[in-house]
Amino acid sequence: MKNQNLEQKYNKWIVTLSVVIPLFVALLFGVNLRKLGFDVSPLSFLPPIYAFINGVTAVVLIAAVIAVKKGDLKLHENLMKTAIGCSLAFLVMYIAYHMTSDSTKFGGEGIIRYVYYFILITHIVLSIVIIPLVLITYVRALAQVFDKHKKIAKITFPIWLYVAVTGVIVYLMISPYYAN
């Protein structure tokens, strides 16, 4: 009963964060501090850093699955906290970059253009979907409801891994078109 209460306690936070984070990102994505008259330098050094962090997230997620399959629950827990931390660091840097820099247009032509936009759109949509999944999965682990945790983790893991990997791919595909 205590564990169920813990889950219920966090449900409001999960719903709130699952709505607020994407709305906040969308709102801030449209805010360019330089265009609003603030004297800030573009943070053009951030995209390779947050792409790297996405890559680290993918590696950490895979390591976490290996750890849990080997029965090393403490390592699994620490790796999952690291993955969440990496995702938060990515989010902060992503917002900071887009608040100080103009959007970059993809310059590829032909079939690669369709491939890029398919990857980008699925990445964006699933990056929104993953927020409640990660939060629910984490809360179920906190509540020690491991049967339910394991069930949702099987859904959360591949989506989160896809988002992390496609974040790197999107960066690699658009990086030649960044303004110098």
Side-chain angles (χ1 to χ4, degrees):
M1 189 66 164
K2 180 183 174 189
N3 294 342
Q4 188 177 9
N5 289 338
L6 183 65
E7 271 191 275
Q8 289 174 346
K9 175 184 168 187
Y10 284 107
N11 281 344
K12 291 176 188 169
W13 281 107
I14 291 169
V15 171
T16 301
L17 290 172
S18 297
V19 172
V20 168
I21 291 172
L23 289 176
F24 186 68
V25 171
L27 175 71
L28 291 181
F29 193 86
V31 173
N32 188 310
L33 295 175
R34 291 183 309 125
K35 290 180 180 174
L36 292 174
F38 291 93
D39 186 22
V40 294
S41 298
L43 300 174
S44 56
F45 63 91
L46 285 178
I49 296 169
Y50 62 67
F52 176 77
I53 288 174
N54 265 329
V56 169
T57 302
V59 170
V60 169
L61 288 170
I62 292 166
V65 168
I66 292 168
V68 79
K69 287 184 183 276
K70 289 184 173 181
D72 193 340
L73 300 181
K74 189 62 182 169
L75 178 59
H76 172 74
E77 177 184 349
N78 290 334
L79 289 168
M80 293 312 301
K81 288 177 181 177
T82 300
I84 290 169
C86 285
S87 292
L88 288 172
F90 162 84
L91 186 61
V92 169
M93 285 187 256
Y94 180 81
I95 291 168
Y97 170 76
H98 284 286
M99 287 183 68
T100 62
S101 305
D102 294 327
S103 291
T104 301
K105 303 285 185 225
F106 182 71
E109 297 177 2
I111 191 74
I112 197 68
R113 185 172 190 80
Y114 296 105
V115 170
Y116 171 78
Y117 282 109
F118 173 80
I119 293 169
L120 178 64
I121 291 166
T122 57
H123 171 79
I124 291 168
V125 169
L126 291 175
S127 70
I128 295 167
V129 169
I130 199 60
I131 295 168
L133 291 174
V134 168
L135 294 173
I136 292 166
T137 306
Y138 185 69
V139 166
R140 288 182 177 173
L142 280 179
Q144 298 181 356
V145 186
F146 295 115
D147 56 329
K148 290 169 79 177
H149 168 79
K150 185 177 178 180
K151 190 174 181 178
I152 196 164
K154 288 181 179 184
I155 298 165
T156 303
F157 169 73
I159 296 172
W160 196 357
L161 184 62
Y162 180 86
V163 169
V165 170
T166 56
V168 176
I169 293 169
V170 165
Y171 167 74
L172 292 173
M173 291 181 80
I174 200 165
S175 63
Y177 305 104
Y178 281 121
N180 293 325

